[in-house]
Amino acid sequence: MDEQQLRELAVELVRIPSENPLEGPVGETKGEGRLAEFVASTLREAGIACELQESVPGRPSVLARIPGESEESVWFDAHLDTVSAEGMEFEPYQARIEGDLLYGRGAADDKGSMAAMMAALIRVARSGSKPPATVL
């Protein structure tokens, strides 16, 4: 995955609303379901085994695994939810890029780092070789 593909991935993540419903109902922009499906689909397309684990309805987690040479493991962790977009002064899911900066709900917390983690997983999966440790 090159730099442009990484930027495009981060933009796509920001464009998918995933607001924490704060114990309210999951709906159009509330809950992580759409984002979790996108993340899982993207990883599966790269040949990475992953599953959705739903501990709360409409709020799944994505669990991905690349087997390594040993049982030791490296764990990448990012959260799918964002805070509310209420009161933002620009369209929160537009994913606007200005220079090297990405603007939009969740860009810095946590969708930018999620894109970097996904890109790393995809690069490992496409390398054709087993990593020294299992990557989760």
Side-chain angles (χ1 to χ4, degrees), residues 79-109:
H79 59 87
L80 296 166
D81 68 324
T82 64
V83 297
S84 171
E86 188 175 325
M88 288 186 70
E89 295 181 12
F90 60 90
E91 173 55 42
Y93 306 112
Q94 184 179 3
R96 190 174 84 242
I97 294 178
E98 293 181 14
D100 287 335
L101 300 177
L102 171 62
Y103 294 90
R105 177 50 74 213
D109 183 21

Side-chain angles (χ1 to χ4, degrees), residues 40-92:
S41 173
T42 302
L43 294 176
R44 286 181 186 130
E45 285 175 14
I48 300 168
C50 60
E51 64 183 80
L52 296 180
Q53 187 174 67
E54 193 169 64
S55 57
V56 176
R59 304 198 57 208
S61 296
V62 180
L63 305 173
R65 184 175 191 273
I66 300 174
E69 293 290 338
S70 73
E71 285 304 311
E72 292 182 357
S73 60
V74 175
W75 179 277
F76 291 173
D77 185 42
H79 59 87
L80 296 166
D81 68 324
T82 64
V83 297
S84 171
E86 188 175 325
M88 288 186 70
E89 295 181 12
F90 60 90
E91 173 55 42

Side-chain angles (χ1 to χ4, degrees), residues 20 37-38 98 109 131:
N20 186 317
E37 289 289 346
F38 174 82
E98 293 181 14
D109 183 21

